[in-house]
Amino acid sequence: MSQPRLRGRPRAFHDKTEQNTVRALDRAMGLLTALSETKGLTLSGLAALTDQSPATVYRVLITLQGHDIVELEDEAQRWHVGPGAFRIGSGFLRRTNVAERSRGAMQALMRATGETANLGVEDRDEVLFLTQVETHEAIRAFFPPGTRGPMHTSGIGKALLAHLPPARVAAILKSKGLPGFTPLSITDEAALGEDLARTRARGYAIDDQERAEGMRCIAAPIFNAHGEPVAGLSVSGPAFRIPLEAAARIGTEVRAAADRVTAAIGGTVGLPEAGEKSA
């Protein structure tokens, strides 16, 4: 017996062959992605990067420009992601009120610690940073919205991993592995398991220069109504301003801020079964 067709999906929804995709749209999304990963590109530079003809790229850019998805910097003749793309992307944030509810807690956290506060979620086995409140210090951590990073070397990533079911953690590690970025990166699965156990016990995770030397991050999870980790809140900054001896004090503040956001979205903090199911 055939399965019922879900509303909003055509009968060929599961057919991902070329005949069922819009090539022009696929090309446009590729160009937009390329622009999002740079500080702007000329027409020829974008054509070379995406291995397309300048004429084809130009037609796509002009179409996107008509919707403010991209914009042209006249003086340098460089194309950039435009405000229209931001407005569309903001729809992702509106899917959940975590970002909106976190803003006040992040601002308070930045004022209390003097360091940049960040909000991130797990997406496609990586940490996806949604927003941040920057410190006024000259030297600071910077994660533009949309930045991605490995789970095992991120404070937010480890805060989430510590409360995910073992099967989910295993799937993430199988997908992404445990690459090292600094001498302090955790590249052993057993060592990571011990670190996650400590994270659960104290209520916050520590990225001790594991992604970038000289930078430290302390993070705590935000839970939904089912006690599942849906986001992470963190503060990050130079290691000399976040010494390990201050981790307990800062960790307590970060965890309290994350708990306030959990309460604000109707979540449940620290369900016992969440820890028992975790890896």
Side-chain angles (χ1 to χ4, degrees), residues 99-132:
E100 179 183 347
R101 296 287 186 169
S102 297
R103 197 66 185 174
M106 293 172 66
Q107 291 170 336
L109 198 53
M110 187 278 288
R111 290 192 295 268
T113 64
E115 301 299 340
T116 296
N118 313 282
L119 177 71
V121 298
E122 182 274 321
D123 180 69
R124 288 180 286 174
D125 300 339
E126 295 179 314
V127 174
L128 172 65
F129 290 92
L130 299 183
T131 185
Q132 69 176 182

Side-chain angles (χ1 to χ4, degrees), residues 1-22:
M1 183 173 62
S2 62
Q3 295 182 345
R5 181 163 60 93
L6 298 178
R7 292 179 180 271
R9 298 180 180 182
R11 295 186 184 281
F13 174 76
H14 296 289
D15 181 5
K16 305 301 182 183
T17 58
E18 185 173 337
Q19 68 177 12
N20 213 36
T21 60
V22 181

Side-chain angles (χ1 to χ4, degrees), residues 205-261:
I206 301 176
D207 160 15
D208 183 16
Q209 307 179 72
E210 296 161 39
R211 183 67 175 88
E213 291 190 62
M215 300 300 289
R216 205 169 265 136
C217 174
I218 300 177
I222 295 169
F223 299 95
N224 63 15
H226 303 288
E228 301 164 337
V230 293
L233 202 59
S234 74
V235 292
S236 53
F240 69 84
R241 286 206 311 260
I242 306 181
L244 285 177
E245 53 266 30
R249 173 182 59 81
I250 297 175
T252 298
E253 293 184 12
V254 174
R255 183 56 201 261
D259 288 351
R260 289 196 298 273
V261 178

